[in-house]
Amino acid sequence: MSGDNQHRDSISLPEVLSIRNVLDLSATISSEIESKDRIILEIPSSAEADLSFVQLVESARRQAKLQGKTLTLSSPVGERILKVLERAGFVEAFTAEDAKFWLHEEVTA
């Protein structure tokens, strides 16, 4: 593998992103943040998630930012995760940065 791989990596996530696997996901993401400069989460478009997953990703975003690293999504979240974000009140409180992260949308005022 090339040296560039040490600075950028993607994590392919499973179809089910819930409290049942959040500890494993957390360990994987945290490990990648510690060892890489840029981490890309690949979330299947049909993935099912619960609030624990959204909280994990928000926490990982903060952890990466504090360490001067970048955490991004490979594509906008699918409808199921968007509904979790909406029900939890995240969407209505989105900043431009949040909309760009979760939805890959540029927000203009």
Side-chain angles (χ1 to χ4, degrees):
M1 296 205 177
S2 71
D4 185 48
N5 196 37
Q6 293 177 342
H7 301 291
R8 179 179 172 175
D9 203 15
S10 68
I11 304 168
S12 295
L13 299 177
E15 288 280 329
V16 177
L17 304 161
S18 69
I19 192 76
R20 292 178 189 221
N21 60 1
V22 78
L23 289 177
D24 290 338
L25 293 172
S26 177
T28 299
I29 293 169
S30 291
S31 174
E32 290 296 309
I33 290 172
E34 291 301 317
S35 63
K36 311 287 187 208
D37 294 328
R38 180 176 171 152
I39 301 90
I40 302 169
L41 300 180
E42 295 180 7
I43 302 172
S45 60
S46 60
E48 289 185 45
D50 64 14
L51 188 54
S52 68
F53 173 72
V54 172
Q55 291 170 324
L56 168 64
V57 172
E58 285 296 310
S59 176
R61 284 178 67 195
R62 285 174 177 74
Q63 179 185 358
K65 190 173 186 176
L66 284 172
Q67 294 182 25
K69 299 181 179 189
T70 304
L71 179 72
T72 59
L73 301 181
S74 62
S75 59
V77 293
E79 189 66 29
R80 291 175 170 176
I81 295 176
L82 181 58
K83 287 183 190 228
V84 172
L85 290 164
E86 288 171 346
R87 282 194 308 267
F90 281 89
V91 173
E92 67 185 36
F94 269 179
T95 64
E97 186 178 335
D98 296 333
K100 186 175 181 179
F101 177 81
W102 288 104
L103 308 174
H104 291 205
E105 289 181 357
E106 297 290 335
V107 176
T108 56

